[in-house]
Amino acid sequence: MSGRTPEFYVAPTEAPPSRRPPVTSIGPLGWVRANLFSSPANSVATVITLALVIWFIVSFLSWSIRSAQWGVVYNNLRLIGSGLYDRREIWRVELSTGILVLLTGLSLGIWARVARAAFVAVLVTLGIILLVPILAARIPQPTIHTLIEPRKSPSDFVFVGYKGETVSFTLAPQIDLADLDKPMIGFIEMQSRAEWSTQARQARAGELDLAAYNLVVSLRLVDKTGRTVSTPDGPAEVRFGPDAPGGELEATLPADGWYVLKVTRDDEANGERDDNQGYAWLRIDGIELFSSQEGRTATREAEFGAPPQVERPLYAEEKAYRFEGTRTFGEFINLQIAPFFERIAMPLALGAALFANGWVIGVLGKRERVVRRWTLISWLVAAPVILIILRGFGGSRALPLVSTSVWGGLLLTMLLTIVGITASFPLGVALALGRRSDLPVIKWTCTLFIETIRGVPLITILFMAKLIVPFFWSGLSNIDLTIRMMIGLTLFSAAYLAENVRGGLQIIPHGQIEAARALGLNPFLTTTFIVLPQALRAVIPAIVGQFISLFKDTSLVAVVGLFELVGIVDTIVSGQPIYRPYQREAYFFIAIVYFVISYAMSDVSRRLETSGAGSLRQ
Amino acid sequence: MGNDNSNEPIIICRDVNKWFGNFHVLKDVNLEVQPQEVVVIIGPSGSGKSTFIRCINRLEEHQEGQIIVDGIELSHDVRNIAAIRSEIGMVFQQFNLFPHLTVMQNVSLAPRYVRRQPRRNAEESALQLLARVGIPEQAHKYPGQLSGGQQQRVAIARALAMQPKIMLFDEPTSALDPEMIKEVLDVMKELAQSGMTMLVVTHEMGFAREVADRIVLFDEGRIIEMGTPEHFFTNPQHERTKLFLSQIL
C-alpha cells in the first residue's frame, strides 16, 4: 500500500497472531499510570493526597504506640459495655448478647453466603487476640521507678512474683545535675513523679544541692512470711552508704506468691532525719504491675492469699503508676495491647464458638422449612425475651428488677438503636403511605407530623420527651427516661424514614400498580407485594443511612443524662481522677466502636442492594 | 355470576362517554362482544382505543353510559370492580411484569393471594401456562433476564392464570423488536382458537385479518366503522377507514 488507499483490499486468510499490549498499559504499572499519574494535575493531587494520608497515619500510629495510655479503656470494659448495670446481674447482659450472637450465626448460615476471605479474616483476628497476650508475656517488663526522699519514710514495695523469675532493684542516687537530663522510661510512681518534678526544678535553679547526697538505704527482699529470700551470694540484702551510695540487688525468686522489698533509710547515720540530704530513684526490673480491677484482685487473692500487711506499703498496682518516656513497639504490645486482648479474649472466643454453632446449624438446616421458620419465630420472640431478661421483675428472686436508669454503655446504645430501628421502620413506612393516601385527613396528619419532626433538632425532641411531655400529661412521667428516649428517637427516625420511603414509592411506575389491579389484587395486596418491595429496595441506601444516623444520634441521650457510650465515657474520665488525663484515648476508642458498627451496617446495606432480584431490573 | 349462553353478549357498552378533564376522549361508544369473539380495535394514535379497553376493566372510569361485563355493571361499587377484574385478563404494551418477582411468582401471585389457591396448585398451573406460551424453562428467571417477546408471553400467562373469561390486549406487540412480534402473535392466535373472548388493540393488520371476528376502527373517540375482516379490508365504507387503511397497508 503506497500511501494511497487501494480501491480493492482483501484481508489475508490468516489473521495475524494476537500480541500482548505494551507493558505500560497493563498490570500494576499500567494501572498506576492510568489512575495516579494520568495528567500533571492528577499527579500533583496524588502526591499531595498521599502525603497527607501518610502523615496522618504516621502521626496517629506514633501517638498510639509511643504515648497513648489505653488503660482507661481496658480497665473500664465493663462500664463501657453495660454501664452501671448491676454487676451481680451482669450475666443477664451476657446471656442476651449470647442469644443475639447465636441467632445471628444461625440466620447468616441460612440466608447469607459468607465469603471464605471473611472467614479467614475472622479466624486470624481471633487468633491474634488469643495469642498476643501469651506472646507478650515473654517481652521484658518496663522498669518501675519510685523515689527515695530525705524526709518522707520510704515505702515497702509489695508485689507478686513467680518461681524462677529474676528481679533486680537498683538504687540510683541523683547526685549530678546531668542526671536530671537522663530520660526516664517506664512506670513512675505518681507521687514520686510529682515530688521529683519540684525538686528537679529547684536543683536546676540552684536552690537544691544534689551533690550533698548522704542517704543510707538498705534493701531487703522478704517473702510473705517475712523470711529473707536467699541468693547464691547469701541473703538478698544490701546496704548502700556513703562509700557506695548506689548499686543493685538481684535475686531469683524461689516460689510463686507475694514478696515485699523492705526499704529502710538509716537516719541515725546522719545524726537525725533533718540532716538527710538528696534523692535517689529506686528502679525495679522484672516485675509485672498487677491490675486494680476488682475481679482480678479477687482472683489474685484466691491464688496467693491477701497481700502481706506492712506499715507503709507501695503496691505494684497499675493505678499508682504512670508510664513515661517513648515506648518501644514491644512495650506497646506488652502494656497496651496485651492487657486489652487478654480481657476480651475469653468473651470473644465464647461468642465466636456460639456464632459458629449457630452458623453450622443454619448451613445444615437451610433447606429445612422447620429450621427457617423457627429461626424467624426465635427472632420475634428474642426481642421481648431479651428485654425481660435485662429488666427483670420487681420482687423476683431469679430476675430482680434492674432499673433501666442503670442500663448504659454499649448495651444502652445498642438497645436504643435496635428498638429505634425496629419501631421506626414500620412507623416510617406507614407515615409514607399515609402521606400518599387519598384520604385528606390522614394525608394532612401524616404530613404535619413529618414536617414538624423534621423541622426541629433531635436534641429538642429528647428534651421535650424528658421535660415537657410529662408536664402536659402526668401519666407519662411514670414512664422512665430510657423508654421516653426510645420513643423520642423512634419518632424522629420515623419522620425521616417516611420521607425516604416516599421517595421510593414515587419511582414505582404506574404500570406496576395497574398490572396488579388488573389481576384483581386489592390495594392492600398491591402495596404489600408489588409496591413496597420495589420501593423499599430502591431506597435501601437511604434507609440504612437513616439507621446509621439513628445509631450515631443515640449519643445525644448523654445530654439528657443517660449513660450510653458517650455518657459512660464522660463519667469515666471525669469521675475517676486517675483516668482524667486519658480522655483522648477513651473518646478515640468509642469512635472506633461507632465506626466499626456503622461500617458493618453500611456493608450489609451494600450487600442487600446487589443481592437477589434487586440487581436484575428491566 | 355469568353464564356461557352464547346468545348473550359478554360485554355490553352503551353510549359510553369519558372525559380527561375537559377533553372528550370517548364519545357515545356502543359495542357488544359475544363470548368467544375476537374483536380487534384499530385506529390512529390518540383515538381513544386504549382508553376504551381500559374502561372495560375500570383502569379508567367512564362518566356516562353503561358498561356491563358478564352481567355485572361497572359502578363505583368496589365489590363489582373486584369481581369484574377477576373475570378479565389484561396484557399491556409495556408488559408491566413485576421485576422483583420471578416469572413463576409473577404468574402465581394473583391465584395465590386473590383466589387463595394453595401454593403448590398455583405453581403447577403456572408451569402449565408457561408451557402453553412456550417458555416453561424460564420459570425461575427474573423478568429482566428475558427478551421482550418472552416477557410479553409471561404477561399473557400471568393474565391467564386468573382463568379470565375475557382477555384485553393493549397494543401487545408495539414495544417489541420486529423479530419477536411473531412469537407473541402466535400465542394470541392459539388463545383465540381455544375460544377465548378477546379485545385486541393493535396495529398488526395481518393478525387482524387472520384472527379477528370483527374489526373496529376508532377515530377521535368514536367508532367509525365496524365489520368482519373481509368487509374491512376489501370493502371499507367510511372515507376515514379508507384513508387509515391506505396509510398503514
Side-chain angles (χ1 to χ4, degrees), chain A residues 330-353:
Chain A
E331 281 165 338
F332 166 68
I333 296 291
N334 197 354
L335 302 174
Q336 304 295 325
I337 299 300
F340 181 57
F341 283 1
E342 200 182 317
R343 283 162 174 78
I344 62 172
M346 247 352 246
L348 265 188
L350 270 177

Side-chain angles (χ1 to χ4, degrees), chain A residues 475-499:
Chain A
L476 284 178
S477 58
N478 294 332
I479 302 177
D480 62 42
L481 191 57
T482 309
I483 308 283
R484 275 187 270 153
M485 289 305 113
M486 284 177 179
I487 295 172
L489 282 168
T490 301
L491 295 183
F492 183 79
S493 170
Y496 279 87
L497 269 181
E499 287 300 275

